[in-house]
Amino acid sequence: MSTDKGPRLVLVQGDITEQHVDAVVNAANSSLLGGGGVDGAIHRRGGPEILAECRKLRASHYGKGLATGRAVATTAGLLPATYVIHTVGPRWSETEDRSGLLASCYRESLKVAEELHARTVAFPAISTGIYGWPLEDGARIAVETVRAVPPGVVEEVRFVVFDERARQAFARFVD
């Protein structure tokens, strides 16, 4: 059960596609049709069912793609999770503050998780890869946003990071 302060935060260094959770969050691109990094790994490991559901979403509600900061769920296919929650992170900009959009990715993903009655959710470090968001700032925004979410169905939020550098960045805020 979540505490009066919201979900328990856990930091894991590893592969997000191997997490046994109710929902895995995908750092998707707006097309929802797969890509590189976390997005590509989730689509490859999850199998064709994820792509098939993403195509259905594009053919119906998201004809122009998923907007930055929004989230939507599909099956997890062959992943050891039940759902994949796709969210589109913002690209880093030195001239425009997009931190609200990055925070929205976490809030909207947790909102979708609540609607799915997901008790455990695994997040990657959204936007800190090819989208260029500085890792320390991305970690700070992720953890602060999740901590600010009121208690609900979600009991545990797992930040799953790929390498030691990212683990150290998130550890500053999670511990």
Side-chain angles (χ1 to χ4, degrees), residues 14 148 153:
V153 174

Side-chain angles (χ1 to χ4, degrees), residues 68-155:
T68 301
R70 301 291 312 272
V72 65
T74 65
T75 181
L78 302 172
L79 295 174
T82 305
Y83 303 101
V84 172
I85 299 172
H86 307 267
T87 189
V88 180
R91 293 185 184 276
W92 166 253
S93 171
E94 289 185 28
T95 60
E96 179 185 352
D97 180 7
R98 297 182 177 168
S99 56
L101 287 170
L102 182 56
S104 179
C105 291
Y106 291 94
R107 272 193 309 276
E108 291 295 312
S109 294
L110 288 173
K111 188 168 143 186
V112 170
E114 290 282 327
E115 292 167 1
L116 297 169
H117 304 287
R119 292 184 337 270
T120 54
V121 179
F123 278 100
I126 298 168
S127 289
T128 63
I130 196 165
Y131 283 10
W133 204 281
L135 187 54
E136 292 277 329
D137 192 50
R140 178 189 60 79
I141 291 168
V143 174
E144 286 178 359
T145 302
V146 170
R147 280 203 171 119
V149 171
V153 174
V154 177
E155 298 172 4

